[in-house]
Amino acid sequence: MIKAAGLQQKTNTKDYEFFNGFGGFVNDGSEYEIILTGETKPPVPWINVVANKKFGFQISESGGGFTWAVNSRENKITQWSNDPVCDRASEAIYILDETTGIIITPMSLGRTDRGLYRVRHGIGYSRFFHEEEELDQELTVFTPVDEPIKLWLLKLTNVADRVRYLRLSYYLEWVLGTHRELTGPYICTGYDKEQD
């Protein structure tokens, strides 16, 4: 039995096939679930590679990884850290509670002090489950079979007895080529107010 302080959900290791201390197969083997709690995490990043003919990304249990178009080496869209120790994320979603000022995220991003995270790698998607600050979070990251886009589907459930005012922010580190050191000086970003 794995339990994180303050969480209602308990994870029974008997529900997993081939549980190895970090996770195991669920849903008749169609998904591999990894449990992150405290300092308990896999010894190296466990990634899922999701791709179609034109586009793809890799994502680890902590949310680390990168996105590419056509060729994963030559056409990186976001930064690849190539560091299995820290497993840095080049993309993330942050949730700001505008009343309390607290920032949370459905992915652990390497943090060990935020309670229990459950991560499910499936064929063509990865899902992240987390509850913090009385907000249940479920994030699914996937790519359509024939479209060169990465979709982030975030489901939030307010379990508090008060109205919440939340703001979502998407963070990424552009590369748009092989190395950020080479492309960075030529990347200029902006905001198109007409598309609001």
Side-chain angles (χ1 to χ4, degrees):
M1 182 81 63
I2 298 171
K3 181 182 176 186
L7 288 179
Q8 298 170 344
Q9 183 168 19
K10 297 174 187 162
T11 303
N12 190 342
T13 57
K14 292 180 183 177
D15 296 336
Y16 296 88
E17 294 180 70
F18 305 107
F19 187 77
N20 63 6
F22 305 108
F25 290 98
V26 295
N27 291 337
D28 296 322
S30 65
E31 296 178 317
Y32 190 87
E33 182 168 287
I34 301 162
I35 302 164
L36 305 173
T37 179
E39 295 294 331
T40 302
K41 63 181 183 177
V44 295
W46 289 14
I47 66 165
N48 192 7
V49 178
V50 179
N52 58 35
K53 292 181 180 180
K54 302 177 185 175
F55 183 86
F57 66 91
Q58 76 175 32
I59 193 162
S60 73
E61 81 287 344
S62 73
F66 74 108
T67 303
W68 69 84
V70 183
N71 183 301
S72 62
R73 183 190 179 280
E74 299 297 322
N75 297 316
K76 294 179 191 78
I77 295 172
T78 58
Q79 181 72 12
W80 176 49
S81 73
N82 194 24
D83 186 342
V85 177
C86 70
D87 189 28
R88 231 170 58 89
S90 62
E91 301 173 62
I93 288 181
Y94 294 100
I95 305 162
L96 169 67
D97 185 318
E98 293 188 335
T99 304
T100 65
I102 294 173
I103 298 172
I104 59 178
T105 179
M107 306 179 307
S108 74
L109 302 176
R111 300 282 306 262
T112 59
D113 60 344
R114 298 293 180 118
L116 178 81
Y117 289 86
R118 292 174 30 241
V119 183
R120 289 189 176 186
H121 289 324
I123 298 172
Y125 63 92
S126 286
R127 294 192 301 161
F128 299 81
F129 302 90
H130 182 57
E131 185 273 320
E132 186 176 353
E133 297 294 323
E134 298 182 288
L135 191 65
D136 280 339
Q137 306 152 57
E138 179 182 337
L139 172 65
T140 304
V141 186
F142 64 99
T143 294
V145 174
D146 55 1
E147 295 292 330
I149 57 174
K150 181 177 184 180
L151 298 173
W152 299 65
L153 178 62
L154 180 62
K155 178 182 175 183
L156 301 174
T157 304
N158 181 13
V159 296
D161 59 356
R162 65 187 188 281
V163 174
R164 308 291 289 268
Y165 298 95
L166 305 172
R167 181 183 309 172
L168 301 180
S169 296
Y170 179 67
Y171 164 83
L172 65 90
E173 296 177 22
W174 292 114
V175 173
L176 305 179
T178 55
H179 299 287
R180 196 166 104 183
E181 297 78 21
L182 300 174
T183 61
Y186 307 103
I187 297 173
C188 297
T189 60
Y191 183 75
D192 186 351
K193 293 181 182 179
E194 293 180 10
Q195 298 298 319
D196 268 346

